Amino acid sequence: MDQFDWSSIPNALPFLWDGMKISLEITVTAVIFGIIWGTFLALMRLSPVKPLSWFAAGYVNLFRAIPLVMVLLWFFLIVPHLLESIFGFPRGSDMRLSSAIAGFALFEAAYYSEIIRAGIQSVPKGQMGAASALGMTYGQAMRLVVLPQAFRNMVPLLLTQGIILFQDTSLVYVSALADFFGAAYKVGDRDGRLVELLLFAGAVYFVICFSASRIVRYYQSKLKTA
Amino acid sequence: MITMNKVSKHYGSFQVLADCTTQVHKGEVIVVCGPSGSGKSTLIKCVNGLEPFQSGEIVVNGVSVGDPKTNLSKLRSTVGMVFQNFELFPHMSISDNLAIAQTKVLGRSHDQAREKGFKLLDRVGLRGQADKYPGQLSGGQQQRVAIARALAMDPICMLFDEPTSALDPEMVNEVLDVMTELAQEGMTMMCVTHEMGFAKRVASRVIFMDQGRIVEDDSKEAFFEHARSERAQQFLAKILHH
């Protein structure tokens, strides 16, 4: 351990914390939009309207068959130009964060939609029947009866997917965005202490993700007994 | 009130219902029985359009169920239905189970809906359970709540799909008592059930089905004293011995 030198970490903490804030921001926004868009995709997939169902199936299969890092690069390279030409944003404005969030949200929605579809299908069919028999429309029955039960069963899986997403945010380093991993890399590179910084970053990811998954597991056990 | 004319339904080449024709008049209690797989559950689910059918016509209170222009949700809000597995909404309290469709479908105020719910819970003897969740009640209690939930919509008729089949034997009677009371108050009812005691007590007519066909459609006296078809005689012989 003698040859390790951890001294550059304490001074770098504020910078690293800024990076962590970006990682968390990407995670939280992408989880929220991913779940919303994923719910729509799942409803389309289960819809009796064939074109909707085909679109959702195609979307899910496409995004599940390409590497995340590639999606992020596309968004980093293409989306800013699109936004510039469509909305007239000033050329060269920093859109790395928003394009990263958009990329994550669209990518993760494919995974969320499969979790949500399974969740909807796990609710007994009779529930939809009973809601319909009471005069509810399909939309009311979904919103008031089926989805609340589906989400209740799905919370652990959705959170677990969120933890994976949090780890995957480190991939935004391809766009030179200073998320937590990117910040650690930059500090290490500057001070010539790359190994120490990356070990430290790894430890932080581990602590956060491990505690989060323990919490999910605790919640899951409570759900089972309820 | 309910008219069925030559209703047929098939899954692929399997005929579930074949040319079913019958009428239910206001205030009548019709018991539908028959061996399992004879199509009796499917038949009553066609009445409120929960099961689609390919040919024939069903008219409920002047509204044609199979007509694509019919607003099925609206029709269903006037026809109460009770299921074999209760199908209470497990994520809602008992009083919310009774209130939700009243407020969202009929547009009643929250207070009105709760009040109505309490009255009906009183009637099925479960006023004290209003704040509990379905999972905390016994099967018989859940089914009585399900009946109350259907009644809360002020239905013009009630459909029962084997309401006692999923119950432990000692809970069957509490549900049948509620149904009997309902029948005696003049509610129009169509009940798929094997409870022949209930049929003898309150039925106006008995429909016997076999292989998707209505084989017997007669007064209960005629059905129990001298069923015409051999199939119905066999069925009765088996079911009445116990």
Side-chain angles (χ1 to χ4, degrees):
Chain A
M1 292 294 275
D2 286 353
Q3 65 270 48
F4 285 134
D5 175 5
W6 307 95
S7 61
S8 55
I9 293 177
N11 284 331
L13 281 179
F15 182 63
L16 290 173
W17 171 238
D18 284 341
M20 180 55 78
K21 280 194 281 193
I22 290 190
S23 296
L24 291 173
E25 189 182 346
I26 296 177
T27 308
V28 171
T29 340
V31 165
I32 293 170
F33 284 104
I35 289 179
I36 295 172
W37 178 223
T39 306
F40 279 108
L41 284 171
L43 290 175
M44 281 192 243
R45 183 97 191 242
L46 295 171
S47 150
V49 185
K50 284 289 164 228
L52 285 181
S53 155
W54 290 332
F55 167 78
Y59 183 99
V60 170
N61 287 328
L62 174 72
F63 275 96
R64 299 223 301 177
I66 45 179
L68 173 57
V69 72
M70 214 178 254
V71 175
L72 292 176
L73 264 180
W74 287 344
F75 270 80
F76 170 54
L77 296 172
I78 302 169
V79 171
H81 288 292
L82 273 179
L83 290 178
E84 273 165 25
S85 52
I86 298 172
F87 297 108
F89 282 127
R91 198 157 274 279
S93 50
D94 190 359
M95 233 107 58
R96 285 178 303 179
L97 183 61
S98 20
S99 56
I101 289 175
F104 272 112
L106 292 179
F107 185 88
E108 291 296 325
Y111 288 84
Y112 278 124
S113 86
E114 287 298 280
I115 297 176
I116 293 164
R117 182 166 70 117
I120 292 174
Q121 285 173 329
S122 76
V123 177
K125 275 209 159 60
Q127 289 283 302
M128 180 51 106
S132 308
L134 284 166
M136 290 188 200
T137 60
Y138 181 81
Q140 284 176 322
M142 265 292 167
R143 195 161 41 83
L144 302 168
V145 175
V146 178
L147 283 178
Q149 294 181 59
F151 274 106
R152 211 186 104 121
N153 299 336
M154 280 179 314
V155 168
L157 279 174
L158 293 175
L159 289 177
T160 304
Q161 187 65 24
I163 295 170
I164 296 171
L165 176 63
F166 174 67
Q167 294 166 13
D168 288 347
T169 55
S170 58
L171 289 172
V172 296
Y173 82 95
V174 295
S175 64
L177 193 65
D179 73 317
F180 180 66
F181 176 74
Y185 194 94
K186 275 181 188 162
V187 173
D189 205 30
R190 184 195 64 197
D191 298 351
R193 289 288 163 215
L194 201 49
V195 175
E196 287 86 342
L197 262 297
L198 291 188
L199 281 173
F200 173 71
V204 171
Y205 277 113
F206 175 79
V207 169
I208 293 177
C209 294
F210 186 70
S211 355
S213 55
R214 299 306 291 209
I215 294 171
V216 172
R217 218 203 243 174
Y218 172 74
Y219 177 82
Q220 207 165 9
S221 67
K222 285 202 73 169
L223 198 64
K224 274 203 190 109
T225 54
Chain B
M1 173 148 306
I2 302 171
T3 322
M4 294 191 193
N5 191 12
K6 291 190 179 266
V7 175
S8 297
K9 177 185 173 72
H10 48 84
Y11 296 115
S13 63
F14 180 67
Q15 191 85 20
V16 196
L17 296 176
D19 287 335
C20 294
T21 301
T22 189
Q23 295 88 35
V24 182
H25 301 110
K26 193 167 163 32
E28 272 189 319
V29 176
I30 309 296
V31 165
V32 183
C33 61
S36 62
S38 57
K40 47 199 194 306
S41 282
T42 311
L43 184 76
I44 73 160
K45 282 184 175 158
C46 284
V47 172
N48 64 354
L50 278 188
E51 289 272 0
F53 49 93
Q54 278 94 8
S55 65
E57 193 185 34
I58 301 180
V59 178
V60 178
N61 208 25
V63 182
S64 169
V65 180
D67 187 342
K69 287 195 289 281
T70 296
N71 182 342
L72 271 183
S73 302
K74 197 170 170 208
L75 172 77
R76 287 176 187 141
S77 70
T78 64
V79 178
M81 182 150 200
V82 175
F83 299 85
Q84 186 175 0
N85 295 311
F86 330 133
E87 303 299 352
L88 295 179
F89 306 136
H91 59 301
M92 295 178 196
S93 69
I94 298 303
S95 63
D96 286 345
N97 261 280
L98 271 80
I100 182 98
Q102 292 187 66
T103 54
K104 301 288 176 180
V105 176
L106 300 181
R108 288 181 185 153
S109 75
H110 186 72
D111 290 342
Q112 246 181 321
R114 268 180 81 81
E115 207 45 48
K116 175 105 188 168
F118 287 152
K119 253 185 227 153
L120 287 162
L121 281 178
D122 230 348
R123 179 163 164 191
V124 297
L126 294 169
R127 175 68 176 79
Q129 318 286 338
D131 294 325
K132 289 196 179 160
Y133 281 80
Q136 296 169 290
L137 303 189
S138 72
Q141 290 174 322
Q142 289 192 52
Q143 194 61 298
R144 280 144 69 198
V145 171
I147 295 172
R149 179 175 71 175
L151 291 175
M153 304 294 285
D154 293 320
I156 55 170
C157 61
M158 289 280 287
L159 307 172
F160 291 84
D161 183 13
E162 305 207 26
T164 56
S165 306
L167 295 176
D168 290 338
E170 75 265 31
M171 293 172 183
V172 168
N173 280 332
E174 58 186 87
V175 172
L176 289 180
D177 287 346
V178 172
M179 290 170 64
T180 304
E181 206 177 294
L182 206 56
Q184 284 162 351
E185 283 165 22
M187 175 61 82
T188 311
M189 294 163 62
M190 242 181 130
C191 314
V192 173
T193 182
H194 292 139
E195 299 296 336
M196 289 302 128
F198 172 77
K200 282 182 177 162
R201 219 163 40 240
V202 298
S204 339
R205 269 179 20 237
V206 178
I207 288 176
F208 177 79
M209 291 186 70
D210 188 33
Q211 294 177 353
R213 288 180 188 280
I214 294 182
V215 182
E216 306 256 348
D217 182 353
D218 225 332
S219 71
K220 67 177 170 195
E221 292 80 12
F223 180 74
F224 287 113
E225 311 287 314
H226 34 81
R228 278 170 303 200
S229 68
E230 202 180 321
R231 193 67 191 80
Q233 284 165 11
Q234 285 171 355
F235 177 79
L236 281 175
K238 274 182 195 146
I239 210 161
L240 293 181
H241 273 184
H242 303 291

